Amino acid sequence: MKLLELQSLSVRYGGVHALESASLSIYQHDVVALMGPNGAGKSTLLKALFGLTPLSRGSIIWKGKAINPHPWEMIARGIVFVPQGRRIFPSLSVQENLEIGGWTLSSTKAVKVRRDDLMEQFPVLAEKRTAHAGTLSGGQQQLLAIARGLMVTPTLLLLDEPTIGLSPRMVSEVFETIRAIKERSHTTIMIVEHNIKSLVHIVNRAVILDKGKIVRDEGDVSKLLEGD
């Protein structure tokens, strides 16, 4: 089933074309890597989809209906964005960070049930549930940011460079977490990531951007490693 269709999306920052006539279809259970050089428009595409960057032109179709994206509405629709930089609330506890992520859930009880479920899925967070999030390592903070995004059980999860600045061990743990999300909940995922070698066994498509344009949509990701 087609979840999302981007039709000729364009974004300008002043006179710069950050994204130009980008068209893309995302299907249920897709795990899509957005790749390309710095400044290619990868992060801009995710931000435009989530409503963080205004569109100059184009349409976004979600489950067959045209939408005007605003972040608070996108979460209610089932679309969650985890940005670069591990943007957690450092002075709040791990469990409080998770609870904030569940603000759209129906009741306090539903928030607690979902929080405890995620604690089971992320044992490292359960061990530090009462600790201030700012005391966690960089990798643990990234796992917390991802777990917070999962509080609303999203249909589509947008991840913007989740492994940037992490140690090789934590990079492996983050990728294992993404694989587990894919297999456990069949969440559709779009991920901006440079480390394609670690993603090749997780994603089913790679979309390549260059200078704000989509230049390739590859269903056989292994070809990218062969240099084809």
Side-chain angles (χ1 to χ4, degrees), residues 11-18 56:
V11 172
R12 292 185 182 181
Y13 298 132
V16 177
H17 292 268
S56 303

Side-chain angles (χ1 to χ4, degrees), residues 1 4 6-7 12 38-39 46 61 73 93 95 98 109 114-117 122 127 133 147 154 164 180 220 223:
M1 183 184 87
L4 176 71
L6 311 181
Q7 298 178 341
R12 292 185 182 181
N38 290 335
L46 293 189
I61 312 297
E73 295 175 350
S93 71
Q95 66 179 16
L98 290 178
K109 180 179 179 180
R114 182 60 177 154
R115 177 201 67 194
D116 291 344
D117 179 50
F122 293 78
E127 293 172 4
I164 191 168
D220 185 355
K223 289 184 177 180

Side-chain angles (χ1 to χ4, degrees), residues 9-13 18-19 44 47-58 60 68-70:
L9 296 194
S10 295
V11 172
R12 292 185 182 181
Y13 298 132
L19 199 64
T44 297
K47 290 176 182 177
L49 167 57
F50 196 66
L52 294 172
T53 297
L55 295 174
S56 303
R57 186 168 61 88
I60 297 175
N68 185 18
H70 299 288

Side-chain angles (χ1 to χ4, degrees), residues 75-92:
I75 294 171
R77 289 186 175 105
I79 303 173
V80 167
F81 177 54
V82 180
Q84 291 183 32
R86 305 184 283 279
R87 296 182 188 177
I88 46 86
F89 297 97
S91 62
L92 299 182

Side-chain angles (χ1 to χ4, degrees), residues 16-211:
V16 177
H17 292 268
L19 199 64
E20 188 172 355
S21 298
S23 296
L24 181 66
S25 294
I26 302 296
Y27 296 86
Q28 192 172 18
H29 308 322
D30 264 349
V31 182
V32 180
L34 300 179
M35 302 177 61
N38 290 335
K42 307 180 298 296
S43 295
T44 297
L45 190 152
L46 293 189
K47 290 176 182 177
L49 167 57
F50 196 66
L52 294 172
T53 297
L55 295 174
S56 303
R57 186 168 61 88
S59 301
I60 297 175
I61 312 297
W62 174 249
K63 295 183 177 179
K65 295 182 179 180
I67 62 171
N68 185 18
H70 299 288
W72 57 92
E73 295 175 350
M74 299 304 275
I75 294 171
R77 289 186 175 105
I79 303 173
V80 167
F81 177 54
V82 180
Q84 291 183 32
R86 305 184 283 279
R87 296 182 188 177
I88 46 86
F89 297 97
S91 62
L92 299 182
S93 71
V94 167
Q95 66 179 16
E96 287 169 337
N97 268 269
L98 290 178
E99 289 164 2
I100 286 174
W103 66 274
T104 62
L105 298 181
S106 59
S107 66
T108 301
K109 180 179 179 180
V111 170
K112 291 181 178 179
V113 168
R114 182 60 177 154
R115 177 201 67 194
D116 291 344
D117 179 50
L118 286 167
M119 288 289 189
E120 290 184 11
Q121 295 179 38
F122 293 78
V124 66
L125 299 182
E127 293 172 4
K128 297 178 178 290
R129 64 187 302 153
T130 60
H132 285 174
T135 66
L136 273 58
S137 69
Q140 291 167 347
Q141 289 182 22
Q142 185 61 70
L143 293 176
L144 176 58
I146 293 172
R148 187 179 61 194
L150 295 175
M151 277 290 294
V152 295
T153 316
T155 302
L156 174 61
L157 180 63
L158 311 175
L159 299 172
D160 192 3
E161 300 206 46
T163 66
I164 191 168
L166 300 184
S167 68
R169 182 181 67 81
M170 286 310 305
V171 167
S172 297
E173 188 163 345
V174 168
F175 281 130
E176 175 59 25
T177 296
I178 295 168
R179 185 198 61 76
I181 293 168
K182 168 191 173 183
E183 295 185 356
R184 181 184 296 115
S185 59
H186 305 293
T187 304
T188 302
I189 300 171
M190 295 175 68
I191 177 171
V192 173
E193 180 58 54
H194 292 283
N195 192 343
I196 188 61
K197 289 185 178 180
S198 296
L199 276 179
V200 69
H201 300 297
I202 301 174
V203 303
N204 65 297
R205 290 169 60 194
V207 174
I208 315 299
L209 292 93
D210 189 25
K211 298 178 181 177

